[in-house]
Structures are given as C-alpha cells and as structure tokens.
Amino acid sequence: MRKPVQNILDAIGDTPIVRLNKMAQGLKTEIYVKLEFANPGGSIKDRIAPFIIEEAVKSGRLKPGGTIVEATSGNTGMGLAMAAAVYGYKCVCVMSSKQSVDKQNMLKAMGVEVVVCPADVGPEDPRSYYSVAKKIASERPNAILGNQYDNPANGEAHYRTTGPEIWEQMSGDIDYYVAGVGTGGTVSGTSRFLKEKNPQLKTIGIDPVGSILTDYHRTGKITEAKSYLIEGVGEDIIPANVKFELIDEFVQVNDQEAITALHRLAKEEGIFAGSSCGMAVAGALKYAQKLNGGKMLVILPDGGGKYLGKFFNKEWLESKGIQV
C-alpha cells in the first residue's frame, strides 16, 4: 500500500505487471505486460519529465519562471505539464496534426500552450513540429527545448527507474524485454539496465511499418518514412536516444495488426490500452511464435482513453480501411 507523497511527481512509477493469458494461449513463452498508463499522467513519459527538467536546471539552461518547449505526440507533453506545474514553469507543446484531438485538449486543460503543425511534411521542413519547437525555444526569452529525442536524460530516467522496477518485480526472471521504439529512451535505457543484470537477455524493438528505424538497424541506411496510423512510436529521424547496440532484433507491425491486438487486449484481457500498446503486443506475439520458453516483458506505454475518437471508433477505422 502506498503512503501519501509530497507531490504528483512522487507518485510516478511502481506500475503493475500483468500476465497475458488468452492472447498468449499456445505459446511456450510466458508474456507479461507492464501497465505504464497507471502513472499519474497516464503514460510512461511521466518518468522522463522530472529528469529533463532537473538536468536543465542543474546545467543552468532553465531559470526560475522559464518555459519548457517540446515536440511531442502528447504523452511527454503531459509529463512535462505535470512537472512544470509542480516546479513553477510554463510549458509549450508542439504536436503533429496526426495526433488525437483528445491529447491536445488534455494538454490545454493542464495550462499548456499547444501548437499544431502539419503531419505531411518532412522533419527538416520549417513547418514540421520538430522545426517549430526548435524555433519557439530559440526565440522565447528563458525557454529551453526538452528535446526528448536527443537528451540523455530520457534514457537515464528509464535506466534509473523502469529497468530496476522490472528487475525487482520479475525477481530477475526475465529473458526477453520488448518495447516500441520511438525516441529510444524507453527501449534503450531499460535495456541497458536489464542487460547489465542479465547479459543473455534479448531486447526486441517493435516498429510500425512506415518508420525508418528497422531498415536503419538492419542496413545502416536512412530510408524515406511512410505514413502510418499508430501514434507516439516509430520515427522519420534517427534520435540519439535510440541505442541500436542495445536492441537485439526489430519486429515490424502494420496498422491492422496493431489495432487488432489493441482490441484483443481490451476484449480478451480487460486491458484498455493505447495504440502503441497494441503494436507492442502484436510484435511480441509474432516474436514469441519462434521461442521455446522463457519469460517476456512488454511495455504498454499508455491507456486507451486518448484514442476513443480514433482507434476505438468503428467509423473512423473503417474510413482508414481497418477491420476490427
């Protein structure tokens, strides 16, 4: 039982791990999922926000009353909004128009200034959410860019919190660690800790079809990204926080596979999760088909409440050619 804490940031972490039963029937590998939507801001990104802010303060980049600017699909924005409220900073979140309106409204409810940019432009385009975030951070007085893609504080947060939690909760009995790959902080930081504890552990990165990360891992070449529906995972850039040497294999999952798994999680396991969770579980099930035992832990980054108008909306799915 948790005791009272001093502020909302102290409530981050210690999220539950649950075994998959119906979805894993017939597999020789036990599959467990870590429910990161149990964090107070609703996602795994709650973990990195205090680390990003603390690093900026210690380095002298962020002064009292300053502004934190971030390019985000929404979840990091929520974590930063919580931390900004506690520490007394302003927050600006720059998002792609691909992200759900629910995410935008949640951030606005937290007092965040939300800037929406077109989704169908390249990362170097001055209209992209990466470019706009950098511009705002450079032009506003006493503002910094959180830069979750390249800021080492992202991976460090998971090395110091997510990895140790998993190791303790699983009593060190874990053979495969599975996570979606986006900024790289979750998969790489956690993998670094777990591999230090168990050098035989395999880390499996799950990537949406259309992202450039899988091809880069396999060939070392940067290809052109293509559009996909799943939010908050995959990339059209190579973030510094993706440490490819800590990821043993990549598994690609398409939108249909991810959304099918998402609905199965809800209907068969009672787990109401977000779109990237469906992708992670679909990839984990694919990979587990070839295994002959062991225990696998899959990160479920966020919950389903932010996606009611999209991934749980039959009409929207049908308009995108997705069957559930």
Side-chain angles (χ1 to χ4, degrees), residues 230-272:
I230 302 305
E231 296 186 20
V233 73
E235 290 297 344
D236 54 1
I237 58 172
I238 305 295
N241 277 316
V242 180
K243 307 298 184 185
F244 289 95
E245 69 276 12
L246 293 170
I247 305 171
D248 296 284
E249 291 189 47
F250 270 72
V251 176
Q252 283 192 303
V253 172
N254 64 38
D255 286 325
Q256 179 65 67
E257 293 169 324
I259 294 167
T260 296
L262 177 67
H263 284 255
R264 289 188 65 195
L265 275 170
K267 295 173 183 176
E268 297 178 27
E269 304 288 351
I271 298 173
F272 185 47

Side-chain angles (χ1 to χ4, degrees), residues 151-172:
N151 190 332
N154 182 350
E156 185 67 18
H158 296 291
Y159 178 78
R160 289 169 54 185
T161 69
T162 316
E165 270 184 39
I166 290 171
W167 188 255
E168 182 178 352
Q169 288 173 293
M170 297 293 291
S171 301

